[in-house]
Every structure is written in structure tokens, then in C-alpha cells.
């Protein structure tokens, strides 16, 4: 629900939160985990402008005394999981209190400086202990584009419009934004080769995705109804599901991706809560007249009307040469999360429909966010048509797939008339040699 925390007129006594273009206005207040020094214990924080509000210190100073005891205890944990487990009402109570604490017009705490840490001087960590990771395939544009490369006569398999497709990813190799990504080795087979070979991937790719972090879980054997799905979601973040496309092409039949995906997945450090995203809800993807209606367990009137999220997403690339010459990153694509065929609620409902138990901190990713035109594609596989054409960089360099030293930067933001812009920060990773 939209409430006073979304008021476009709100300002913060943290000066940088009011700068034009900032992702972290007082209307946002995303949650994350940070460390002040390399050997220090992780702490929960809230991004505000160029600063990080230390929630543990807020508890110590008595600034959160009017939130429930369980929330205060969770704010002193080294990961978001205990807070996630308390559910959306608890997160909403914390958000409201932090909003009041940071507002201009409120007298800043006497020791305000000790509550804040410059974001540039802290280490931002993976925001939760992620036990399980599931990657969906929720963009019909992406699924059709990829299918057309491998099955020109049958690009979209018949089950796609009926069931949210996903594979089970690897939680242990999820890494924080800024972590170098080692080029993986794997088994590949060229179409004209008599036998497969093993070595570094020649077709390393990124995938621009939106992540869904689960809050309150469900018991084993008890599905989550689609109408209740958002009560089990803490918020959204950015995900780069790095992919070795040549490994994937050889291994994916008959059981799907394995080593082509499990070597690394990068997640952005800040979780934008569903409360912060309330002004940017929109109708779900409008299905065509020939599309089948979702089965009842995947259908809900409210989800049809407000199940989408109007989030602009973009991917940028900066080569090592561009960095050395001080050239800004080159945008590869810009799309919108409105274009996803399956909604967040449908993903949660389907994932649990067989009784599978989701737990606090589990990560669901949307799959590549791609749109209907070439400028809105979310991976190099689509942009370059399997490397058949290249992306030209400002230095004159060309890319079919990623080269060593390339850095991929994902960004996202929401804008709507009458509301403050909010952003997701960045999800970064640079490719290191095999």
C-alpha cells in the first residue's frame, strides 16, 4: 500500500539523499549487509544517499525502541534472514521507523555521524544467507529469441505459455557485486568436431535479471496461494546469471543447464522492498487472444491488475581498454520488467505448488529480461545472434561474447509521475582469465 513513506515531498537530513539522480532517496530505504573493515562482523544496513545507516547501532542507541522486540533482535543479526522470517509486516514497521528517523524536520540524533558510514568506505556483501536458488525463464521475448536460434521452426515449446519454466541453480556460487568472475572451463563440442574437448569457455555471457528474495517461508507440503505470494517476498534486487553458452549448448539436453551456469551468479547488495515498490506496480503482461488462460492456481484478479513491476533495467559493458582510457561504460541494452510473461506471484505460487518449501533468504531469479525490440535485449546471445554479429565499443573493439577484463554493470530504477525516483544500485562483475 502507498502511505506517507512514499510522499514525494519527503526529504532527509542526509544531504546526499536529495541529490538529483540518486538511487537511494528517503522513499526507497533498501536493506543490505555491510562490513566496516575486512575483519569486522557483517551488519545490517539501509542505503540512504551515499551513506549506509547502521541498524545495529540504531538499536544500541535506542532509536528503534518503538518497533517490535523481534525486529530489533533481527537488526543485530549478520544477515537479513532473521528479519525476512518475521514477514512483511515486520519489515514495514522497520521501514516506517527508519523513514521517520531520517526525515528532514526531525532533529538528527546527537551521534548521527556514528550511525552512518560512507558507502564508498564499506564492503557490501551478499544480503542474505541464500540456501537455494531457482532461475526462471519468465520473458517470452527471451524464450522466443533463444528458441529461434536453436529451433527455427519451433522456437517456443508448447508448455511455455502454460507453466513457468525454471531450473535449480547453485546457491553456493552466488557472489557479491564487485567480485571478479573467473572464466570457467568446461566440456564443449563444435558442430563440425568429431568429439568434445575440455577448456575455457569461448562464449561467456551475462544475463540481465531481476532477483526475488523470499521473506517468510512456507511449510513443506503447504503450497502458497497466488493471492498470498507477495506476503512471502521481502523485495527485489538485480542478478547477473553468468553463462558459458558453448558449455550450455552441449550439456543442456536432456536435463537443462548445469556447469554452464553454476560457476558464478552475481547479486546486487541492496534489496528494494515491496513496500518501496508499491507506487510502481502495474498490470501483468497482457496475453494475446490465442494465449491460454493460466490454470486457476496461477490466476488471481489482483495479480492481473497489479502483478507487474514498472522497473527499467539496463546492462552496460566496459572493456579493460575503455577503463584505462577513462571511457564511460557502453550500454548494451535497456528493457523493462513489465515485459515478463510470468509475474513474481506466479513464480512463487508455481514453485510451491507441489508442496516445495521456500525458506527465508531463498533467491528466485526472473530469467533474462528482454523486450520486443533489439535495444531491449538482455544478453549477448540474443544481441549478437550467437556471435554471428558483433557489438562495437567506443574504442573500436568488437564483442561477440565477453573477453577477459570486460566488466558488466547492471542497473535498474523506477520512475512515475507524482513519486520520487528510486533505484537498485549496481550489480557489477569483471571477467578474470581462466
Amino acid at each position: 500500500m502507498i502511505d506517507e513513506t512514499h510522499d514525494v515531498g519527503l526529504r532527509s537530513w542526509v544531504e546526499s539523499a536529495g541529490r538529483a539522480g540518486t538511487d537511494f532517496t528517503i522513499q526507497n530505504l533498501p536493506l543490505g549487509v555491510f562490513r566496516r573493515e575486512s575483519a569486522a562482523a557483517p551488519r545490517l544496513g539501509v542505503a540512504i544517499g551515499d551513506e549506509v545507516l547502521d541498524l545495529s547501532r540504531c538499536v544500541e542507541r535506542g532509536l528503534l525502541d518503538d518497533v517490535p522486540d523481534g525486529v530489533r533482535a533481527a537488526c543485530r543479526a549478520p544477515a537479513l534472514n532473521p528479519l525476512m522470517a518475521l514477514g512483511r509486516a515486520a519489515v514495514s514497521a522497520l521501514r516506517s521507523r527508519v523513514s521517520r528517523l531520517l526525515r528532514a524536520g526531525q532533529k538528527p540524533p546527537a551521534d548521527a555521524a556514528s550511525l552512518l558510514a560512507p558507502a564508498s568506505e564499506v564492503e557490501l556483501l551478499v544480503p542474505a544467507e541464500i540456501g537455494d536458488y531457482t532461475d526462471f525463464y519468465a520473458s517470452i521475448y527471451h524464450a522466443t529469441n533463444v528458441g529461434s536460434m536453436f529451433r527455427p521452426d519451433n522456437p517456443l515449446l508448447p508448455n511455455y505459455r502454460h507453466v513457468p519454466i525454471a531450473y535449480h541453480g547453485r546457491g553456493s556460487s552466488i557472489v557479491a557485486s564487485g567480485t571478479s568472475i573467473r572464466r570457467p572451463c568446461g566440456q564443449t563440442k563444435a558442430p563440425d568436431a568429431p568429439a568434445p574437448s575440455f577448456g575455457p569457455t569461448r562464449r561467456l555471457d551475462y544475463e540481465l535479471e531481476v532477483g526475488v528474495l523470499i521473506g517468510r517461508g512456507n511449510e513443506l507440503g503447504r503450497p502458497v496461494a497466488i493471492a498470498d505470494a507477495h506476503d512471502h517476498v521481502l523485495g527485489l534486487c538485480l542478478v547477473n546469471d553468468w553463462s558459458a553458452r558453448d558449455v550450455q549448448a552441449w550439456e543442456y539436453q536432456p536435463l537443462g543447464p548445469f556447469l554452464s551456469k553454476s560457476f558464478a551468479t552475481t547479486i546486487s547488495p541492496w534489496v528494494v522492498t515491496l513496500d518501496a515498490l508499491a507506487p510502481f506496480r502495474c498490470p501483468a503482461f497482457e496475453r494475446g487472444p490465442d494465449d491460454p488462460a493460466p490454470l486457476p492456481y496461477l490466476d488471481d484478479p489482483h495479480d492481473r491488475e497489479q502483478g507487474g513491476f514498472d522497473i527499467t533495467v539496463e546492462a552496460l559493458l566496459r572493456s579493460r581498454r575503455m577503463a584505462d582510457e577513462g571511457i564511460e561504460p557502453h550500454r548494451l541494452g535497456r528493457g523493462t520488467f513489465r515485459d515478463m510473461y510470468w509475474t513474481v506471484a506466479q513464480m512463487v505460487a508455481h514453485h510451491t505448488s507441489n508442496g516445495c518449501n521456500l525458506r527465508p533468504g531463498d533467491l528466485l531469479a526472473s530469467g533474462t529480461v528482454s523486450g520486443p525490440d533489439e535495444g531491449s535485449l538482455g544478453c549477448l546471445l540474443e544481441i549478437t545472434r550467437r556471435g554471428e554479429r558483433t557489438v562495437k565499443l567506443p574504442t573500436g573493439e568488437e564483442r561477440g561474447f565477453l573477453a577477459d577484463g570486460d566488466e558488466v554493470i547492471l542497473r535498474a530504477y523506477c520512475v512515475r509521475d507524482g513519486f520520487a525516483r528510486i533505484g537498485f544500485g549496481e550489480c557489477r562483475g569483471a571477467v578474470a582469465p581462466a
Side-chain angles (χ1 to χ4, degrees), residues 99-175:
S99 176
R100 295 193 302 273
L101 174 65
L102 293 173
R103 285 178 200 176
Q106 300 287 327
K107 184 178 179 181
D111 53 353
S114 70
L115 302 175
L116 297 169
S120 60
E121 297 178 11
V122 302
E123 180 184 3
L124 298 174
L125 308 174
V126 173
E129 295 173 356
I130 298 172
D132 281 298
Y133 163 44
T134 301
D135 196 18
F136 281 84
Y137 198 45
S139 167
I140 195 169
Y141 298 115
H142 174 66
T144 303
N145 290 338
V146 173
S148 69
M149 299 178 208
F150 296 93
R151 301 179 304 276
D153 297 330
N154 185 30
L156 200 65
L157 294 176
N159 64 345
Y160 187 86
R161 291 183 171 91
H162 293 274
V163 58
I165 303 298
Y167 76 92
H168 191 202
R170 184 73 185 175
S172 65
S173 54
I174 293 173
V175 298

Side-chain angles (χ1 to χ4, degrees), residues 231-399:
D231 291 337
H232 293 263
V233 174
L234 171 69
L236 307 183
C237 62
L238 289 170
V239 170
N240 185 344
D241 185 42
W242 303 90
S243 300
R245 298 300 191 184
D246 44 2
V247 178
Q248 183 179 358
W250 176 236
E251 75 174 5
Y252 85 101
Q253 296 188 54
L255 292 180
F258 179 32
L259 299 184
S260 58
K261 300 280 192 173
S262 63
F263 60 95
T265 300
T266 305
I267 185 172
S268 60
W270 297 111
V271 184
V272 180
T273 65
L274 291 195
D275 285 340
L277 289 165
F280 308 103
R281 299 286 289 274
C282 62
F285 185 90
E286 185 175 350
R287 300 185 174 214
D290 296 330
D291 284 4
L295 292 176
Y297 80 100
L298 292 173
D299 191 30
D300 174 70
H302 182 69
D303 194 56
R304 291 197 301 269
E305 296 170 4
Q306 291 287 306
F309 292 88
D310 190 2
I311 304 169
T312 298
V313 296
E314 59 183 18
L316 306 98
L317 185 147
R318 180 163 56 189
S319 69
R320 181 178 292 147
R321 180 177 165 188
M322 290 171 66
D324 290 343
E325 295 180 13
I327 298 173
E328 290 296 306
H330 173 76
R331 190 172 74 219
L332 297 169
R334 174 184 287 164
T336 173
F337 197 52
R338 291 178 304 180
D339 281 337
M340 305 309 280
Y341 191 82
W342 296 103
T343 67
V344 169
Q346 287 172 322
M347 293 180 216
V348 173
H350 182 66
H351 201 312
T352 64
S353 62
N354 67 343
C356 174
N357 57 322
L358 297 177
R359 296 174 294 186
D362 282 358
L363 175 66
L364 314 183
S366 64
T368 302
V369 181
S370 288
D373 55 73
E374 289 197 1
S376 61
L377 303 180
C379 64
L380 286 171
L381 179 70
E382 293 176 86
I383 294 170
T384 69
R385 298 294 296 181
R386 299 174 71 183
E388 294 175 1
R389 56 194 185 193
T390 59
V391 172
K392 291 180 172 56
L393 302 179
T395 53
E397 300 170 279
E398 297 185 6
R399 292 290 184 271

